[in-house]
Every structure is written in C-alpha cells, then in structure tokens.
Amino acid sequence: MTSASEDYITELRRHLETKYSPRNERIKAVRDRRNLRLEPYIPPKFKALTQMKPFQYPLVADVLRRTTAILGIQHPVPTVIPLGITQDDIKNSSLREKWLTQAYPRLFLHNTYAQGLDSLFEAGEAIWQVRERLHEWHDIEPKGLKERGKEYLARTYRHHQATFPFRARYVDPATWYPVYDEDGLTEVMEVTKRERLPVMQRYADLLPHGLRLGDRGPAFYGGEDVDFTEYWSREECVYLVDNTEVYRLENNYGQVPSLYAYAIINSSQDCQDWGLSFTYPLLALQDAISNLITMWMNWGFLNGYPMLVLDPVA
C-alpha cells in the first residue's frame, strides 16, 4: 500500500478544485437564485428617485420545492430479489426487506436523507458518506460481578437494538471532489471550512511534536475558521487541517465509503459534467422575468405618481 503524503494531497486538491470549478459555479448559480441573492439591476439615480425595490421572481425555489415534493422525504421502500426459487430463498428475501426498512431511518439520522434528496434536484447529485460506528456498538459496560449471565445478555441485546452500527452523513456536492479509474471511485476529497475551536480540541494531541495548528494561522483558540480536508482512497483516510496532517487510518472497507447518485447522466466523458440541476436551464428565464417585472413596477410608479421635473438618470 502506498501512503498519500501531505504534498500529494495538497497538490491533488489544487488540481481537483481547478477541474471542478465549473461544476461549483453551476451549483452556486442555482443556489443564488433559489435563495434570491441576485437583485435585478436598477440605475442608482433612478432607484433613489422611485424608492422601488427590485422584484425577484422565485422560479427556481418553486420548481425545486415541487420536484422534491414529488418524491417526498420518506425513505425508499427496499425490494430484494430472491437468490433462488425455493421457499427459503423467498423467506430470506422478505427478511432482508424488513431489515432494510427498519435500517434506513436509523442509518439516515437528522434529515440527512432529505438533504441528499434536495441536493439531487438542486445540484444534480446526492452524496452521503457511510461509515461504521463500531465504537458505539461495542460501548457496553463489562459484566458486573453480581450480574447474572442472562441479565448481561439482555442488557447487551438492548444496547445493540438501540445503537445502529452504521451512520450516513450528508456531503455538500460543492465540497466533494472525486477521482475515478476503470474500476470506479478510487479517491475522494472533501474540502470544507470548520469552526476552529472544536477542531483544535479534537486534533491538537494528534499533531506532530512541537507543531500547533495556530502556528499556521490565527490564535490557537480563536480567529477564522480552519481549512479541513478529508481524503479517502481505497487504502487509507487522511485528515488535514490548514494543510497539516492530524489523523490517518487504514481503510478497511475495501472501497471509498461514499454513496452517490446523479440526477441527470449525460454522454460527456468528463466527470465534472455529470449531474446537472433540474433548474439549471431555467436560470436565464428567472433573471429575465425578474428584470421585466422590476421595469414594469418602476414604470407604473412613475406613471402613477408623475413628477414635474425629472433629471436624467444615466
């Protein structure tokens, strides 16, 4: 196994951020219009004269609301095809369907499934990271000296019933940078900004001797957010904070633990073109409607409240 060095991860990140910049620009364009961050232009002198606010037509927000509602936020209903035609095969298939039905709500906690579903329409792709939570699964107090065997087994059973050994986390597509080979997903990098204090408290003891995260930025317990890079390959996982390695572990999953789906698949061989928002073709239409209605409103204001003297606005 070849380990990825800090320099390799930093250089790979620089390359992927450049490669996927058009994708991130498309996602930002959709989100800006969904959240009504782009106001139609009104000449400053004219705006001061009429005091009219620009009108923003919520086309993208409405379409995303409707498309998401079509599927709803309920978890999918699993269907397992029997491996054979015997009664045992059919019973096994039904048992796995029941297990998956109960497992989905425990796998996708805190609206992570709904976030991914929304992202599927907004950004054109849905991404989750699925990892084991065996430390919680095995976190059982040892058998007491006076505790009977049946009581210990019953307590262990209740703990396992209440603790699911897997957890899915929603990943923002604009922070997810995949690398593919002929066998599929081979490397993934997630680049985010995180609050400095919790990161310091968690990873300070894992830094190389004599090095503090604050040495590469603001003060140790304050200042701006830190730059957090989570790198996965088929062999290992590495965490970097401000380009400093703070954590490394072997990947025993056999693959990158990312679950992803694209809304619209096209024939492009460039993976940055895969996935496209359902509303991306509507962006220009929303801008045109917003500009037109804004002009109508200002025209109506001037005709409804005529003024004796109008200075040129240009």
Side-chain angles (χ1 to χ4, degrees):
M1 180 182 71
T2 303
S3 296
S5 64
E6 285 185 13
D7 293 337
Y8 171 79
I9 296 175
T10 302
E11 185 62 30
L12 179 63
R13 171 184 169 176
R14 185 179 300 110
H15 165 71
L16 293 177
E17 286 182 330
T18 301
K19 177 179 181 178
Y20 284 96
S21 59
R23 178 204 65 180
N24 289 351
E25 290 175 2
R26 292 198 304 264
I27 295 175
K28 183 178 184 302
V30 172
R31 290 176 175 174
D32 283 345
R33 287 161 178 83
R34 180 183 192 180
N35 296 291
L36 304 180
R37 298 185 183 127
L38 300 179
E39 291 187 352
Y41 175 75
I42 300 178
K45 293 183 178 180
F46 196 93
K47 189 174 183 179
L49 179 67
T50 63
Q51 299 296 317
M52 294 293 295
K53 294 183 178 180
F55 176 81
Q56 300 184 68
Y57 185 60
L59 177 62
V60 170
D62 184 58
V63 171
L64 290 175
R65 177 182 63 84
R66 292 171 182 267
T67 51
T68 304
I70 292 175
L71 293 181
I73 60 175
Q74 298 297 322
H75 296 97
V77 178
T79 300
V80 179
I81 300 176
L83 298 177
I85 60 174
T86 65
Q87 288 295 325
D88 289 339
D89 292 328
I90 296 175
K91 289 181 180 179
N92 178 268
S93 173
S94 299
L95 180 62
R96 284 186 288 166
E97 289 178 349
K98 292 179 181 178
W99 188 91
L100 289 172
T101 301
Q102 296 298 321
Y104 284 155
R106 304 177 70 180
L107 175 66
F108 297 100
L109 296 178
H110 312 303
N111 294 321
T112 53
Y113 179 76
Q115 286 180 303
L117 187 64
D118 180 82
S119 174
L120 187 66
F121 295 105
E122 180 193 58
E125 49 190 313
I127 305 163
W128 297 273
Q129 183 187 90
V130 182
R131 299 182 62 179
E132 294 177 336
R133 308 283 291 186
L134 295 182
H135 62 287
E136 297 178 359
W137 175 264
H138 295 303
D139 188 16
I140 305 173
E141 294 184 8
K143 182 178 178 296
L145 295 177
K146 297 182 179 180
E147 187 177 19
R148 301 172 59 185
K150 290 184 177 181
E151 295 174 347
Y152 172 73
L153 292 177
R155 179 163 59 83
T156 302
Y157 176 79
R158 290 193 300 270
H159 174 79
H160 287 164
Q161 288 292 101
T163 307
F164 197 66
F166 303 97
R167 183 72 53 81
R169 176 177 64 86
Y170 166 72
V171 178
D172 184 353
T175 66
W176 193 71
Y177 301 91
V179 178
Y180 300 92
D181 63 9
E182 61 275 8
D183 296 322
L185 192 62
T186 178
E187 294 176 287
V188 159
M189 188 173 296
E190 184 184 355
V191 181
T192 57
K193 292 289 186 180
R194 299 195 181 183
E195 189 178 350
R196 177 171 291 271
L197 180 57
V199 172
M200 299 302 171
Q201 293 173 334
R202 182 168 183 177
Y203 297 111
D205 295 336
L206 300 175
L207 288 171
H209 180 69
L211 178 64
R212 298 195 314 168
L213 293 176
D215 294 340
R216 298 200 178 191
F220 188 84
Y221 285 111
E224 62 186 23
D225 294 341
V226 296
D227 190 83
F228 194 93
T229 302
E230 183 173 342
Y231 167 84
W232 281 90
S233 69
R234 295 189 180 115
E235 293 81 23
E236 63 181 343
C237 170
V238 183
Y239 292 171
L240 270 66
V241 177
D242 287 344
N243 295 325
T244 301
E245 180 182 329
V246 297
Y247 187 64
R248 182 184 294 264
L249 77 158
E250 184 178 353
N251 180 7
N252 295 318
Y253 298 134
Q255 62 183 13
V256 177
S258 293
L259 176 64
Y260 60 97
Y262 292 106
I264 300 176
I265 300 295
N266 56 51
S267 59
S268 173
Q269 294 299 309
D270 192 342
C271 54
Q272 70 153 332
D273 294 331
W274 299 350
L276 188 66
S277 171
F278 273 52
T279 61
Y280 187 75
L282 303 177
L283 301 186
L285 178 60
Q286 174 169 323
D287 293 344
I289 295 176
S290 298
N291 288 326
L292 182 60
I293 295 181
T294 297
M295 287 187 288
W296 282 351
M297 292 172 60
N298 283 274
W299 175 82
F301 179 89
L302 291 178
N303 282 271
Y305 303 94
M307 301 181 182
L308 297 177
V309 179
L310 295 178
D311 296 327
V313 298

